[in-house]
């Protein structure tokens, strides 16, 4: 196999999703530990120590204990090159999660064994399903009292509508947690409360052998025999076609905090998880092994590091090989260019890269030319990948700056944050940027906006909540919206390309507008 093909085949690019507190950060950290990407796993979020989990770098994340943006990390393990994309756990940032999922080939879902499928898991999972990518499940915190493992599997199947295949099975939980039984090797991995820094050796054992009693206790052994009989009797098989299409999820049990079951999970995932997948573009399918380079922008982030004052654009490479200083063609801008200081991220640390392959994520400095969904490719090609849809905002507020002297910073901050796709901004017709109407998908995005305006742009803002919940673009050309017959609580606004939109307080008002104005065309997404 050529080095080029081998480089692509050994890549695994995946996102981690979970309800906040299920243990996503802890698991990520342990995975990084295996890859030698970090030297010591820190106690998450530093409640008990000063070490912060490496993927939790934004101040607001530390304050609130949630991940609000996705970070990207790469490490090597057992000959594989792994790209992990962290996703915001909170549903208010599900749009960010969706964009991140566009950039990966599989997802890992972390579930708290005591809580089962939680609200946010359900929502994030829906986003995963839209992409039809393989989903691997890690059921975490078995060292605490947990729900019955069969009930947990049934809950995943019923609530998420996906089949499950347990790769291993827990023996007890909480103070009685004795380890896991690996169904493939029929080995027992016995649990000892460790220091969380290394994995424990597996013990080869026949579960019908009473000598196991000294290790896991007779009651647990008999229970395990019964459980295994039930599992094997169910006769489900690990159908890799079902896994690949996202209909069957291989499930692993463990405890991320105690680093128990993490390495078997990692190994199983690497073996079964897909290498970079082909992507659809307007002219057909792009194979990762195509020699021409192509990549698309899925994330833009300004001021990641305050000391740098920069704007980074993240691209997922879909085909070919990227080399530093090579010339690329920016399709939407119709310009040839060199990507400036291409880098790979490890939370706050950046490393300039010399080369990267399909599956990799690169960050490049961006003076403001890229938008989400843009494509770059080898000159002479013109590849456009299927677009990344924007979610329609559901919450709106009128935003002004407190200090009139800060107008310039206000405009800059609002515009840049909107370009990142973190908020959408509108204005009332024929007004300037003195005040804007900001639309968000989740309320917490307002908090992040306010926080970032204060800390990154030094602007205090006034946020006046508005009652609107629905947004519609007017698709009719040349229509004068002021002449429309609208209910008194419907608002006309413009986006920054001067398209007209309507903000509604209820679906009833949308129907009213359509009924009273014949021929009016409204759409939930901006088609321009
Ligand atoms: P998240 O990124 O999904 O939000 O979760 P995170 O890893 O931050 O974990 C949330 C809490 O759960 C952390 O506790 C973490 O130590 C704990 N945790 C993670 N994995 C395990 C596990 O396998 N077993 C146990 N017992 N706990 C685990 P914390 O924020 O430090 O404090 P607290 O919530 O315990 O007070």
């Amino acid at each position: 196999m050529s080095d080029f093909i081998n480089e692509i085949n050994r890549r695994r690019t995946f996102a981690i999703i979970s309800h906040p507190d299920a243990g996503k950060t802890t698991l990520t950290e342990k995975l990084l530990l295996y890859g030698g990407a970090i030297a010591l796993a820190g106690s998450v979020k530093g409640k008990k120590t000063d070490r912060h989990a490496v993927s939790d770098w934004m101040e607001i994340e530390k304050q609130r204990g949630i991940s609000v943006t996705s970070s990207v990390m790469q490490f090597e393990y057992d000959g594989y090159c792994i790209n992990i994309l962290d996703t915001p756990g909170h549903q208010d940032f599900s749009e960010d999660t969706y964009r991140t999922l566009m950039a990966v080939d599989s997802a890992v879902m972390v579930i708290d064994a005591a809580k089962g499928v939680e609200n946010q898991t359900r929502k994030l999972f829906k986003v995963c399903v839209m992409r039809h990518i393989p989903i691997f499940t890690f059921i975490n915190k078995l060292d605490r009292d947990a729900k019955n493992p069969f009930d947990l599997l049934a809950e995943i199947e019923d609530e998420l509508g996906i089949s499950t295949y347990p790769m291993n099975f827990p023996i007890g939980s909480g103070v009685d947690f004795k380890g896991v039984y690996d169904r493939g090797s029929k080995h027992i991995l016995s649990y000892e409360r460790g220091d969380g820094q290394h994995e424990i050796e597996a013990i080869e054992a026949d579960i019908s052998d009473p000598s196991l009693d000294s290790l896991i206790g007779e009651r647990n052994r008999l229970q395990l025999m019964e459980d295994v009989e039930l599992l094997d009797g169910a006769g489900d098989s690990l159908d890799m076609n079902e896994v690949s299409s996202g209909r069957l999820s291989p499930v692993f049990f463990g405890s991320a905090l105690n680093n128990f079951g993490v390495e078997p999970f990692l190994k199983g995932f690497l073996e079964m998880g897909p290498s970079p997948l082909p992507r659809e573009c307007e002219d057909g399918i792009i194979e990762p092994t195509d020699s021409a380079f192509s990549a698309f922008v899925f994330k833009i982030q300004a001021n990641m590091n305050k000391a740098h004052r920069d704007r980074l654009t993240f691209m997922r490479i879909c085909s070919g090989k990227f080399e530093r200083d090579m010339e690329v063609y920016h399709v939407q801008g119709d310009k040839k260019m060199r990507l400036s200081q291409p880098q790979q991220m490890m939370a706050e640390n950046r490393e300039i890269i010399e080369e990267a392959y399909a599956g990799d994520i690169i960050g490049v400095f961006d003076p403001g030319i890229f938008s989400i969904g843009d494509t770059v490719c080898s000159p002479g090609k013109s590849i456009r990948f299927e677009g990344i849809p924007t979610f329609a905002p559901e919450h709106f507020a009128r935003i002004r700056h407190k200090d009139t002297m800060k107008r310039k910073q206000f405009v800059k901050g609002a515009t840049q944050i909107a370009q990142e796709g973190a908020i959408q901004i509108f204005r009332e017709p024929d007004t300037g940027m003195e005040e804007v109407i900001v639309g968000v998908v989740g309320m917490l995005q307002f908090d992040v906006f306010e926080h970032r305006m204060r800390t990154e742009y030094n602007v205090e803002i006034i946020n006046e909540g508005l009652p609107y919940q629905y947004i519609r673009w007017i698709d009719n050309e040349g229509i004068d919206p002021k002449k429309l017959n609208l209910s008194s609580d419907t608002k006309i606004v413009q986006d920054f390309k001067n398209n007209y939109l309507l903000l509604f307080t209820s679906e009833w008002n949308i129907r009213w507008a359509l009924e009273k104005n014949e021929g009016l065309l409204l759409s939930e997404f901006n088609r321009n």
Side-chain angles (χ1 to χ4, degrees):
M1 203 186 319
S2 78
D3 285 353
F4 171 66
I5 307 264
N6 185 39
E7 280 300 337
I8 293 168
N9 284 346
R10 75 186 192 93
R11 276 167 164 73
R12 297 287 180 276
T13 303
F14 67 99
I16 300 204
I17 61 166
S18 82
H19 185 94
D21 271 356
K24 178 167 58 82
T25 317
T26 314
L27 180 66
T28 308
E29 221 185 20
K30 297 294 148 95
L31 295 175
L32 295 176
L33 199 64
Y34 282 110
I38 53 171
L40 198 63
S43 233
V44 181
K45 289 165 201 150
K47 271 190 203 152
K48 294 164 199 97
T49 96
D50 281 342
R51 287 194 295 268
H52 296 296
V54 272
S55 63
D56 249 9
W57 46 266
M58 260 181 97
E59 211 172 318
I60 191 154
E61 293 189 315
K62 289 175 201 157
Q63 282 171 7
R64 287 191 173 271
I66 51 165
S67 296
V68 292
T69 53
S70 336
S71 41
V72 182
M73 286 156 278
Q74 186 182 65
F75 68 97
E76 299 257 342
Y77 176 82
D78 206 13
Y80 291 94
C81 175
I82 302 153
N83 295 300
I84 302 187
L85 281 71
D86 192 9
T87 59
H90 199 281
Q91 59 165 341
D92 284 12
F93 305 100
S94 47
E95 186 169 11
D96 207 37
T97 300
Y98 187 77
R99 287 192 211 120
T100 302
L101 285 168
M102 293 293 289
V104 299
D105 305 301
S106 60
V108 167
M109 172 166 73
V110 185
I111 285 181
D112 183 329
K115 299 193 171 140
V117 175
E118 295 175 86
N119 208 14
Q120 254 77 279
T121 318
R122 216 170 279 128
K123 292 188 170 147
L124 293 168
F125 180 83
K126 268 194 193 156
V127 175
C128 270
V129 168
M130 287 193 241
R131 285 270 292 120
H132 303 293
I133 49 176
I135 298 165
F136 295 80
T137 306
F138 186 80
I139 301 190
N140 190 28
K141 303 198 189 180
L142 262 300
D143 60 314
R144 292 218 181 135
D145 286 338
K147 289 189 176 180
N148 175 297
F150 285 107
D151 291 347
L152 282 165
L153 296 172
E155 202 173 310
I156 296 172
E157 303 212 342
D158 296 345
E159 297 240 9
L160 306 179
I162 184 173
S163 307
T164 57
Y165 184 90
M167 303 297 296
N168 59 20
F169 210 71
I171 310 166
S173 73
V175 285
D176 199 27
F177 182 49
K178 299 296 180 199
V180 290
Y181 168 76
D182 180 69
R183 293 181 68 197
S185 65
K186 298 190 177 1
H187 285 184
I188 281 175
L189 188 61
S190 101
Y191 171 70
E192 296 159 37
R193 238 159 263 269
D195 57 4
Q197 304 293 343
H198 63 277
E199 187 68 71
I200 300 136
E201 294 265 317
I203 295 168
E204 212 172 314
D206 180 343
I207 50 175
S208 59
D209 182 351
S211 70
L212 255 190
D213 292 356
S214 60
L215 195 65
I216 62 175
E218 187 187 10
R219 194 170 53 85
N220 281 320
R221 184 176 62 82
L222 295 177
Q223 180 67 51
L224 180 63
M225 281 174 74
E226 209 177 288
D227 290 347
V228 170
E229 207 179 299
L230 211 65
L231 285 172
D232 293 346
D236 298 336
S237 65
L238 182 61
D239 181 341
M240 283 314 290
N241 286 331
E242 291 289 291
V243 174
S244 304
S245 59
R247 286 193 293 265
L248 173 70
S249 178
V251 178
F252 297 78
F253 290 85
S255 164
L257 186 64
N258 294 288
N259 204 347
F260 183 80
V262 175
E263 198 170 26
F265 165 72
L266 179 59
K267 285 190 166 146
F269 167 76
L270 292 173
E271 222 170 85
M272 289 183 278
S275 53
L277 297 172
R279 299 256 153 185
E280 253 176 69
C281 77
E282 280 180 2
D283 301 323
I285 300 282
I286 301 286
E287 293 291 338
T289 48
D290 285 352
S291 57
F293 167 78
S294 68
F296 72 90
V297 174
F298 68 97
K299 178 181 168 65
I300 295 172
Q301 174 92 51
N303 308 325
M304 278 183 63
N305 184 336
K306 272 169 94 180
H308 291 257
R309 286 258 156 231
D310 50 14
R311 187 172 120 132
L312 275 179
T313 283
F314 292 86
M315 299 177 182
R316 146 91 195 211
I317 302 180
C318 299
S319 64
K321 178 178 176 182
F322 172 80
E323 275 166 299
R324 190 179 170 183
D325 291 331
M326 79 182 202
E327 194 173 59
V328 297
Y329 173 60
H330 175 212
V331 178
Q332 285 74 9
D334 188 21
K335 266 204 178 75
K336 281 190 196 162
M337 60 191 296
R338 273 172 228 285
L339 297 176
S340 170
Q341 302 192 31
Q343 41 196 291
Q344 245 148 13
M345 316 293 298
M346 247 307 283
E348 260 174 298
N349 297 330
R350 303 162 180 196
E351 228 173 77
I352 297 287
I353 48 162
E354 298 298 329
E355 54 181 48
Y357 295 85
D360 286 342
I361 311 293
I362 53 173
V364 298
F365 278 106
D366 172 15
I369 49 175
F370 291 114
S371 296
I372 287 176
D374 280 8
T375 320
V376 290
C377 54
S378 299
K381 299 263 170 194
S382 180
I383 297 171
R384 284 173 194 265
F385 291 102
E386 45 175 351
I388 303 183
T390 2
F391 284 25
E394 290 168 24
H395 307 277
F396 298 87
R398 194 190 308 275
I399 307 279
R400 286 195 298 274
H401 42 97
K402 261 189 195 149
D403 179 352
T404 44
M405 302 294 285
K406 296 275 173 69
R407 184 183 177 278
K408 223 171 125 186
Q409 288 96 315
F410 175 76
V411 174
K412 186 174 173 199
T415 315
Q416 285 192 343
I417 296 174
Q419 278 172 343
E420 290 176 26
I423 55 165
Q424 294 185 41
I425 49 175
F426 309 98
R427 59 192 156 96
E428 293 190 54
D430 314 318
T431 61
M433 279 280 281
E434 297 310 320
E435 60 173 41
V436 288
I437 291 176
V438 171
V440 295
V441 179
M443 287 296 276
L444 267 180
Q445 287 176 301
F446 281 134
D447 293 8
V448 174
F449 176 56
E450 197 167 333
H451 176 87
R452 293 189 56 189
M453 287 297 275
R454 187 183 320 118
T455 55
E456 294 169 22
Y457 300 92
N458 203 13
V459 182
E460 290 290 340
I461 58 170
I462 301 169
N463 175 329
E464 185 196 322
L466 296 171
Y468 309 105
Q469 290 181 38
Y470 300 91
I471 188 165
R472 293 290 182 270
W473 268 263
I474 300 179
D475 279 350
N476 309 67
E477 296 264 336
I479 204 167
D480 180 357
K482 288 184 208 98
K483 294 200 174 130
L484 291 173
N485 182 356
L486 300 168
S487 58
S488 60
D489 54 354
T490 298
K491 189 167 196 59
I492 303 168
V493 294
Q494 275 181 296
D495 65 14
F496 281 79
K497 287 179 184 158
N498 292 326
N499 298 307
Y500 282 106
L501 302 95
L502 300 175
L503 302 184
F504 298 98
T505 53
S506 69
E507 292 202 37
W508 187 88
N509 283 333
I510 304 177
R511 280 197 297 277
W512 161 289
L514 289 170
E515 274 164 26
K516 303 281 172 186
N517 302 279
E518 220 188 304
L520 178 65
L521 298 172
L522 299 179
S523 66
E524 213 172 316
F525 301 102
N526 181 13
R527 296 183 208 281
N528 299 299

